[in-house]
């Protein structure tokens, strides 16, 4: 580029009021970025693209359109696609980790519950072998040697846990440890009444397992309120027929 052409272009830029926007390479790059991002105005308030179109004509328009489409539809979309791909990949990895943790937790709970049932089954068999006098005077059960001989069929057999037996079993330290593993409430002396929903006075294996698993975790206030409201609703349903008589 000759010196005269350079002076001619500088004069043209000055006449158009774009000197501050194209005085050097960094300023030109920033001006191009502004135009591609939507803020393409000169200091005078005129659109830079329109001013350059009037001065340079069709070659500028074609070059500007091609560059704008390349930047806006090409690079921006590539960046967006990379971001979305990274986000989706992280979500899938997190979901896989969560599923694996849930599977491990389910297996751990199942094994812990099985060990707890073995202790109740062993205590039940030992309790059955005692006569009435020994049963009333029994303060502690040593069922650890017996539980290793129990199979799944023995556990799921006809076992009925009374409140007296339940209170004896939960005094064992190993039972307390298993209950801690299951995250059962610490007020375990009252668990029998909670699990024995039908009020039969005995707990069978299915009833015991379902009850223990349902009361796992921290007790929420909403659970207590929901139970209270449900009880009141049942009471109202029982009272209404008597009121109409």
């Amino acid at each position: 580029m000759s010196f005269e052409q350079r002076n001619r272009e500088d004069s043209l830029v000055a006449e158009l009021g774009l000197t501050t926007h194209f005085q050097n390479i960094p300023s030109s790059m920033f001006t191009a970025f502004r135009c591609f991002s939507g803020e393409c105005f000169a200091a005078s308030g005129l659109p830079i693209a329109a001013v350059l179109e009037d001065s340079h004509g069709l070659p500028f328009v074609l070059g500007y359109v091609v560059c704008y489409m390349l930047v806006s539809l090409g690079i921006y979309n590539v960046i967006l696609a990379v971001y979305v791909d990274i986000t989706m990949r992280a979500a899938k990895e997190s979901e896989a980790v969560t599923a694996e943790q849930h599977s491990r937790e389910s297996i751990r709970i199942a094994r812990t519950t099985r060990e707890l049932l073995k202790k109740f089954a062993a205590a039940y068999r030992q309790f059955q072998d005692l006569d009435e006098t020994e049963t009333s005077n029994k303060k502690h059960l040593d069922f650890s040697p017996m539980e290793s001989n129990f199979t799944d069929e023995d556990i799921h057999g006809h076992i009925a846990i009374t409140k007296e037996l339940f209170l004896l079993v939960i005094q064992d330290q190993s039972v307390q440890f298993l209950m801690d593993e299951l995250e059962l409430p610490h007020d375990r002396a009252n668990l029998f009444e909670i699990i024995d929903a039908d009020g039969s006075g005995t707990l069978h294996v299915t009833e015991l397992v379902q009850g223990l698993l349902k009361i796992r975790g921290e007790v929420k206030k909403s659970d207590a309120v929901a139970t209270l409201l449900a009880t009141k609703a049942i009471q109202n349903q029982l009272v209404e027929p008597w009121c109409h008589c």
Side-chain angles (χ1 to χ4, degrees), residues 140-183:
H140 178 72
L141 293 176
D142 185 16
F143 46 80
S144 298
M146 298 178 59
E147 62 180 275
S148 59
N149 299 325
F150 277 83
T151 62
D152 291 339
E153 294 181 358
D154 295 327
I155 294 176
H156 295 286
H158 183 69
I159 298 176
I161 307 297
T162 61
K163 182 177 180 179
E164 182 181 4
L165 177 58
F166 183 86
L167 294 177
L168 286 175
V169 173
I170 64 175
Q171 294 177 16
D172 188 81
Q173 292 297 326
S174 60
V175 174
Q176 289 290 332
F177 175 78
L178 292 174
M179 287 185 168
D180 290 337
E181 288 291 311
L182 291 176
E183 300 178 3

Side-chain angles (χ1 to χ4, degrees), residues 180-201:
D180 290 337
E181 288 291 311
L182 291 176
E183 300 178 3
L184 296 178
H186 295 288
D187 186 17
R188 291 161 186 171
N190 298 321
L191 288 181
F192 186 88
E193 286 79 5
I194 298 174
I195 300 175
D196 186 24
D198 57 0
S200 62

Side-chain angles (χ1 to χ4, degrees), residues 126-127 130 132-142 164 168 171:
Q126 183 179 354
F127 202 71
L130 300 177
E132 185 176 352
T133 304
E134 293 176 334
T135 300
S136 59
N137 296 329
K138 197 70 173 177
K139 302 298 182 182
H140 178 72
L141 293 176
D142 185 16
E164 182 181 4
L168 286 175
Q171 294 177 16

Side-chain angles (χ1 to χ4, degrees), residues 104-117:
R104 291 180 179 178
E105 180 67 10
S106 299
I107 295 175
R108 185 188 69 83
I109 293 174
R111 290 177 177 175
T112 305
T113 305
R114 182 176 180 274
E115 293 299 319
L116 186 60
L117 288 178

